[in-house]
Amino acid sequence: MRLRRGAGPPGWAVGSPAGPLVLCLLCLLLALGRPLLALPSPAPSPSPGAAPDADPARHAAVARAQADSRCFLESGSSAESFFVSEDLPVGSVIGVLSVLGDPSEPHGDIALRLQETDSPVRVSPGSKNLTLMRRLDKEGIEGPASVYISIICDRKRTADPGLSIPVNIRVTDANDNAPQFVNAPYVLNISEVRTKNFPK
Ligand SMILES: *[C@@H]1O[C@H](CO)[C@@H](O)[C@H](O)[C@H]1NC(C)=O
Ligand SMILES: *[C@@H]1O[C@H](CO)[C@@H](O)[C@H](O)[C@H]1NC(C)=O
């Protein structure tokens, strides 16, 4: 009786914790096995499938885009600035964009255009020249005192979206409205001592 009881319960006692232990191990294996199975399954399936064809193609496209310096500025900066004297006649070239690429027509590899439709400057066709189309004025009376425009540079024969190049044009004073001083410069002597002892 005692032995049976003793043998019975110990057997159950051993069996009952062992059962859940095995179940837990199975659960662990399942839990571990699922991600282990799940993780490699997407990786190998694309590698023999479409991925090896798509990945090198994409890498090549990225590499081409990175190697394609067209439309970047020679200086490596992201914007261009020009200073223009306000007495520059209409039709004059304000400056030449330092953008990389050949904008000549029809065989060039880039195309430059202005984003703004109503701008006092324009890009001369087939060139990198910014040409003044309307008067500019430092005082802003007869024309804008500063112009902020965006040049869109398209890489020809690619589907790449055009690159926007901000261009800041500052008008410098031609000194036509400067105040006139007679007999300048003036010398003024100020004595602190005299001010302090000034009679009240
Ligand atoms: C561009 O400007 C340069 C001078 O800066 C000039 O020699 C050239 O003819 C201009 N080209 C065009 C297309 O306006
Ligand atoms: C100003 O002071 C200097 C010397 O301190 C003198 O030579 C000059 O004459 C003075 N000018 C005037 C306008 O008082």
Side-chain angles (χ1 to χ4, degrees):
M1 288 287 274
R2 271 185 189 178
L3 281 164
R4 273 179 202 167
R5 271 185 192 172
W12 277 105
V14 171
S16 51
L21 253 169
V22 169
L23 277 169
C24 278
L25 278 165
L26 278 166
C27 287
L28 262 166
L29 281 167
L30 277 168
L32 286 167
R34 267 187 195 168
L36 278 170
L37 284 167
L39 277 172
S41 62
S45 69
S47 60
D53 295 325
D55 268 344
R58 215 186 65 207
H59 284 309
V62 169
R64 261 204 317 277
Q66 281 169 349
D68 194 346
S69 61
R70 284 182 293 164
C71 291
F72 286 116
L73 293 175
E74 276 167 27
S75 58
S77 64
S78 55
E80 282 255 70
S81 281
F82 295 105
F83 290 91
V84 184
S85 175
E86 63 177 341
D87 60 1
L88 189 81
V90 169
S92 306
V93 173
I94 285 173
V96 180
L97 292 161
S98 70
V99 67
L100 293 164
D102 175 17
S104 68
E105 287 166 347
H107 301 295
D109 56 9
I110 60 164
L112 298 169
R113 60 192 161 93
L114 219 70
Q115 187 172 299
E116 292 80 6
T117 47
D118 180 42
S119 172
V121 298
R122 69 163 193 154
V123 185
S124 298
S127 79
K128 301 177 185 179
N129 291 3
L130 273 184
T131 307
L132 186 66
M133 300 309 287
R134 275 207 312 271
R135 254 207 79 148
L136 301 174
D137 183 8
K138 183 81 169 75
E139 279 74 35
I141 299 160
E142 290 174 65
S146 70
V147 184
Y148 193 75
I149 54 166
S150 296
I151 303 284
I152 309 294
C153 179
D154 291 306
R155 289 165 173 165
K156 284 191 185 172
R157 291 173 287 275
T158 65
D160 303 351
L163 263 75
S164 179
I165 306 158
V167 178
N168 192 13
I169 300 160
R170 301 255 187 89
V171 184
T172 57
D173 207 328
N175 215 21
D176 54 358
N177 291 312
Q180 297 299 303
F181 293 99
V182 184
N183 297 330
Y186 302 102
V187 178
L188 193 67
N189 288 350
I190 297 162
S191 168
E192 268 186 60
V193 178
R194 198 176 283 178
T195 314
K196 272 180 186 167
N197 297 335
F198 205 79
K200 286 179 185 177

